[in-house]
Amino acid sequence: MNLTEALEALCVATRANGRSARTVGSYRQKIAPMIDFLGDGNVQSVTVNDLRRYVAGLMDSELSPFTVASRVRHMKRLWNWLEAEGHLEQNPVQRIKTPRPKREKPKGISREDLQALLRDTQGKELIDLRDRALILFLTDTGARVGGVCGLRIEDLDLEAGLATVVEKG
């Protein structure tokens, strides 16, 4: 089995196991650079040194530490899945560690920027009321923009003042 076939088989298995199409897309996006680096050879021919060179190249690149860690996690997922499925005699990722990026304080909006956004939404037009409500909702709940963008009418209980926000993870 070559690497491209292995990636496709992982994606099919992942989707069949009930994971989202978005998760499958993430696997394709994050594992494809490894295949580009290694070439589309047989999975049995890849060594731990090949994968170490790939990881070292990621760490020396312009990618953020979080992107590097994500690509390494996805790479390990592929190789561990291949081992679990019986496609490998020896798993080359067993001795590769996932880099741990330093966690920084969560990003937030400055008080001045928040006040400027609220000033810009003081109008009485429907769009101003909507924008102000969204800004206040995000500020008060700490929800992610993506979660709020996915809200539907049935996710709201206006009488109870509740919203069910579904976010990544």
Side-chain angles (χ1 to χ4, degrees):
M1 171 182 292
N2 66 27
L3 287 167
T4 301
E5 292 168 338
L7 174 56
E8 186 57 30
L10 169 65
C11 290
V12 169
T14 300
R15 189 68 176 123
N17 286 338
R19 300 304 299 265
S20 73
R22 192 173 190 173
T23 297
V24 171
S26 177
Y27 283 176
R28 282 195 173 98
Q29 177 189 15
K30 302 279 175 45
I31 295 172
M34 180 198 69
I35 297 172
D36 290 341
F37 179 86
L38 296 172
D40 195 19
N42 189 295
V43 296
Q44 293 287 352
S45 66
V46 177
T47 67
V48 67
N49 288 330
D50 294 331
L51 296 180
R52 283 181 177 148
R53 282 187 301 105
Y54 172 65
V55 172
L58 290 175
M59 294 177 81
D60 291 340
S61 72
E62 302 278 325
L63 297 172
S64 80
F66 292 96
T67 300
V68 170
S70 177
R71 286 192 183 177
V72 172
R73 278 193 313 276
H74 283 77
M75 173 190 79
K76 290 178 86 166
R77 172 71 177 111
L78 173 66
W79 293 102
N80 289 330
W81 178 83
L82 285 167
E83 180 182 40
E85 293 289 311
H87 296 290
L88 293 177
E89 293 171 18
Q90 190 170 352
N91 186 344
V93 297
Q94 288 179 338
R95 296 189 318 258
I96 294 181
K97 294 182 180 177
T98 303
R100 303 258 183 231
K102 293 180 184 174
R103 285 273 174 202
E104 296 178 12
K105 203 173 187 182
K107 293 183 237 172
I109 188 170
S110 71
R111 181 178 300 273
E112 295 79 22
D113 287 343
L114 176 60
Q115 289 171 343
L117 286 170
L118 292 174
R119 272 194 308 275
D120 287 346
T121 58
Q122 286 181 344
K124 299 292 182 208
E125 297 293 321
L126 193 55
I127 195 164
D128 294 319
L129 296 172
R130 180 208 61 191
D131 289 350
R132 186 175 186 85
L134 283 170
I135 292 165
L136 291 171
F137 185 87
L138 289 165
T139 304
D140 289 347
T141 65
R144 295 171 184 255
V145 171
V148 174
C149 287
L151 277 174
R152 299 165 301 174
I153 294 293
E154 54 267 22
D155 297 329
L156 302 175
D157 183 345
L158 297 177
E159 289 180 22
L162 297 174
T164 302
V165 179
V166 178
E167 297 183 347
K168 71 178 191 177

